[in-house]
Amino acid sequence: MSSPTVGDHVVSRLGRWGARRFYGYPGDGIGGVISAVGRAVEAGDAEFVQVRHEETAGFAATADVKFGGSPLGVVAVTSGPGAVHVLNGLYDAKLDHVPVVALLGQTATNALGTGYYQELDLVRLYGDVAGEFVFQVTSPSQVQHAVDRAARIARERRTVTAIVLPSDVQDADAVPEVPDGHGFTHTSAVPGSLPGTPRQEALEQAAEVLRSGRKVAILAGAGALGATAELTAVADALGAGVAKALLGKAVLDDRVEWVTGAIGLLGTRPSYDLMRQCDTLLLVGTTMPYTEYYPAPGQARAVQIDVDGTRCGLRYPTEVNLVGDAGLTLAALLPLLAGADPDPSWRADIARWNTAWEEWSAERARAEAEPLNPELVVRGLSARLEDDHQIAVDCGTATSWFARDLDLRPTMTASLSGTLLSMGGGLPYALAAKEAHPDRPVLALLGDGAMQMNGLSELVTVAQRWRTWADPRFVVLVLNNRQLSFVAWEARAMQAEVPFGPAMDVPDVPYAGWAGLLGLAGRRVEGPEDLDEVLTEAMAATRPFVLDAVVDPDVPMIPPHVSLDQVVSTVKSQLKGDPAARGIVVEGVRETVGAAARAVRRHVRDR
């Protein structure tokens, strides 16, 4: 048997850090690592998922961690173009604070600096996305430290790190032991302890603020995932209502009467009212960026819990910041909340808002559309979700309907490109969810723009791998509206412009037909009369199923608080000759509060 190579050492050492699954695409610049992964796969010590593009490898490695498959995501890509392609997926990890290590191929050391083919300055290129740690290995003796530093920093700081590996170094013999002498240092592959609880004095200060509240609101994000019981107990002790940031949508059951659902531009009216009428705010594991959806400055006393103190006080002027694990910190707070005296009408108000919102949402989904209302489709899927479903979401109008129309519960997992908001991540996320938990069903929600960006190609990966999954259920909903409709709505609402057709229109593609060519299942649905039958068939399919739902692009996404400026801008775009104006006006009137409608009429009358 030949001696272990540097590539073998990289793979095995990352395994000690919890990384078993490698996402990537081969090339000669990363050949030594790919060969080492292959040997580990044969030994049963690793898995390799070959995707169709390096960008989707970055998305998938990020999602693998988000869906609980691995504590550390890993991508392995070749030099030059491969290292450039993967950047977008890695920025998704960086912005959502997900630990990922990038293994980057590089030109052989003897050719570095000569302008050799595919030679790029990867240390400089990765200085932002992997700014916490990016290192180019030039000697086998450096590898052990490089891997340990990359893995430790990625896990402890929840960020992206990168190791640049020249091709000749990858194939060199590994150095089994670092010499014991001056100029050499030793290293450990043992992760640090998990975050704990804040000091008692800080907990008591936070409890004093929270006990004083009569109308307490909680905003929970991704950092609260896994702390459902503790969050529920604290919310009950305070008589609080809870809104959820998108990445934390699965932390509490959307059907609970004091849970107001998603918050922000795509969120619910009850979440908006919760924040604007509370007198006390508890932020748990979130830095949701839309500050107009928080309480007004000075309205509420505020406490924040986060594992990273640098993120405290970032969105709202907090009085007490607790740095620690969300579950442990909430559990430590709970006994200190005795004596809280919430307004008994507060939760009754929240329940009333939720009831009104649900009635309005159901009416909105039944509203006339041509040919299908997208909310009707998503609500139909929501009713068919199982307790262990995993949901992957792409960016665009699919995100809006996910936020508003899909009822989640804590036994489910759901995620998307939350802060980068990148199109094209939905299918890679769904693939990673299935690779992480092959015995659980998956639902992917995509718009047709996102499906054409990365979904069509990654459906090839699905076709390649689905027979290895214990549970083959994998439904891809494509909201086929022949338009980049979210961007079109932004043009109407933000620029007061008619959407520019050549930029916004998307070709109509037979998505279900493409699935059939790949040996998968699929159906196209073009009217409400067939919807129930197709949804039932899709969710029960014994192989991956593409649901091509032809939906109306003109169903409006009205913000929960209906900004008058946005409504007026939309009217201006209609007056400029937007061909969708009639449908937008009809639906817009149904969804707009009286004050906004009167403002629009005044604007039209006075122009």
Side-chain angles (χ1 to χ4, degrees):
M1 178 179 176
S2 59
S3 300
T5 66
V6 165
D8 292 316
H9 180 81
V10 169
V11 173
S12 64
R13 195 77 176 180
L14 283 171
R16 294 179 63 177
W17 285 95
R20 247 189 85 81
R21 200 170 295 109
F22 294 75
Y23 293 90
Y25 203 80
D28 63 343
I30 197 68
V33 168
I34 296 297
S35 295
V37 173
R39 290 188 285 272
V41 170
E42 290 177 0
D45 296 329
E47 299 174 45
F48 182 74
V49 182
Q50 183 208 71
V51 292
R52 312 272 64 80
H53 192 281
E54 291 92 349
E55 178 190 18
T56 59
F59 281 130
T62 303
D64 195 297
V65 179
K66 285 186 174 184
F67 282 99
S70 306
L72 180 67
V74 182
V75 295
V77 297
T78 194
S79 55
V84 173
H85 283 162
V86 77
L87 280 170
N88 193 53
L90 294 177
Y91 269 107
D92 181 38
K94 178 182 173 69
L95 269 60
D96 279 352
H97 309 291
V98 176
V100 174
V101 173
L103 305 177
L104 311 172
Q106 179 59 292
T107 300
T109 52
N110 63 306
L112 286 172
T114 68
Y116 203 65
Y117 83 101
Q118 294 190 337
E119 181 190 354
L120 299 176
D121 186 345
L122 296 182
V123 173
R124 179 177 294 182
L125 180 65
Y126 274 69
D128 181 43
V129 72
E132 298 281 354
F133 183 79
V134 53
F135 181 74
Q136 181 163 292
V137 176
T138 55
S139 166
S141 63
Q142 299 172 311
V143 171
Q144 190 172 97
H145 256 293
V147 173
D148 286 350
R149 289 282 288 160
R152 187 180 305 281
I153 290 171
R155 286 190 56 168
E156 296 295 330
R157 299 183 182 171
R158 302 194 64 79
T159 191
V160 175
T161 58
I163 306 173
V164 182
L165 294 156
S167 57
D168 56 326
V169 173
Q170 297 172 46
D171 289 323
D173 289 343
V175 175
E177 297 291 341
V178 177
D180 184 14
H182 180 72
F184 294 96
T185 59
H186 302 274
T187 180
S188 164
V190 178
S193 62
L194 296 175
T197 57
R199 56 190 174 85
Q200 187 66 22
E201 180 184 355
L203 289 167
E204 291 173 355
Q205 290 173 346
E208 184 279 322
V209 172
L210 295 171
R211 284 196 310 268
S212 70
R214 298 277 287 161
K215 297 182 176 182
V216 180
I218 299 175
L219 175 55
L225 294 172
T228 298
E230 296 86 349
L231 183 63
T232 300
V234 167
D236 284 340
L238 296 171
V242 183
K244 301 180 292 185
L246 272 180
L247 291 177
K249 185 169 163 62
V251 69
L252 292 174
D253 194 323
D254 278 309
R255 301 165 300 180
V256 174
E257 62 180 9
W258 45 265
V259 174
T260 60
I263 194 171
L265 183 66
L266 308 180
T268 70
R269 178 74 197 200
S271 289
Y272 181 78
D273 290 337
L274 178 76
M275 291 295 152
R276 287 291 157 156
Q277 297 190 35
C278 70
D279 60 22
T280 308
L281 174 66
L282 173 60
L283 301 166
V284 184
T286 181
T287 54
M288 194 277 294
Y290 296 120
T291 54
E292 65 269 34
Y293 294 93
Y294 286 82
Q299 170 193 324
R301 302 182 71 186
V303 172
Q304 185 163 358
I305 299 171
D306 205 291
V307 292
D308 183 350
T310 66
R311 297 202 288 268
C312 291
L314 187 63
R315 306 298 186 204
Y316 194 79
T318 49
E319 283 187 49
V320 184
N321 294 314
L322 301 175
V323 179
D325 173 80
L328 294 176
T329 302
L330 289 167
L333 264 178
L334 184 60
L336 304 177
L337 300 178
D341 183 27
D343 184 334
S345 68
W346 181 231
R347 277 196 166 178
D349 287 342
I350 295 168
R352 179 169 45 81
W353 299 337
N354 279 337
T355 298
W357 173 263
E358 173 55 29
E359 291 173 353
W360 184 52
S361 298
E363 180 183 354
R364 202 174 57 228
R366 292 191 299 266
E368 183 178 348
E370 182 58 42
L372 260 177
N373 188 319
E375 292 195 82
L376 185 67
V377 180
V378 176
R379 287 175 71 87
L381 287 170
S382 180
R384 291 168 167 82
L385 291 177
E386 298 186 8
D387 285 345
D388 62 344
H389 245 100
Q390 303 182 98
I391 298 99
V393 188
D394 218 300
C395 293
T397 54
T399 316
S400 179
W401 313 138
F402 160 73
R404 293 185 174 185
D405 295 303
L406 212 64
D407 285 337
L408 299 191
R409 35 203 187 268
T411 52
M412 300 174 179
T413 52
S415 198
L416 70 156
S417 176
T419 309
L420 185 62
L421 291 172
S422 176
M423 283 180 63
L427 240 297
Y429 266 54
L431 176 66
K434 200 66 174 181
E435 293 295 328
H437 302 288
D439 58 339
R440 295 176 61 176
V442 166
L443 170 64
L445 305 180
L446 288 78
D448 48 359
M451 187 64 176
Q452 291 183 24
M453 182 175 285
N454 285 335
L456 289 173
S457 58
E458 290 309 330
L459 207 59
V460 175
T461 311
V462 172
Q464 177 192 39
R465 300 189 64 83
W466 75 270
R467 289 178 178 83
T468 68
W469 300 335
D471 183 337
R473 290 176 295 169
F474 186 99
V475 175
V476 180
L477 169 63
V478 182
L479 294 170
N480 179 0
N481 55 26
R482 292 79 60 208
Q483 187 184 78
L484 299 175
S485 55
F486 197 98
V487 186
W489 277 103
E490 288 176 325
R492 293 183 181 110
M494 305 302 180
Q495 285 83 45
E497 293 290 340
V498 176
F500 176 48
M504 305 294 182
D505 295 343
V506 171
D508 190 3
V509 171
Y511 303 103
W514 172 235
L517 290 175
L518 296 174
L520 308 178
R523 285 276 300 274
R524 184 178 175 104
V525 58
E526 299 182 274
E529 63 278 359
D530 299 323
L531 184 59
D532 280 344
E533 174 196 336
V534 176
L535 291 179
T536 300
E537 179 184 352
M539 297 298 269
T542 56
R543 64 180 57 206
F545 191 104
V546 173
L547 174 55
D548 180 1
V550 183
V551 298
D552 193 336
D554 300 328
V555 173
M557 296 181 298
I558 304 297
H561 65 304
V562 192
S563 159
L564 299 188
D565 288 342
Q566 290 172 323
V567 172
V568 168
S569 294
T570 302
V571 170
K572 287 180 181 178
S573 75
Q574 293 164 9
L575 296 174
K576 290 181 180 181
D578 188 338
R582 182 181 180 279
I584 293 168
V585 169
V586 169
E587 287 304 318
V589 168
R590 292 171 64 94
E591 297 201 33
T592 304
V593 295
R598 288 192 296 274
V600 170
R601 288 195 292 271
R602 284 197 302 272
H603 177 81
V604 174
R605 184 189 64 229
D606 296 342
R607 68 182 294 273

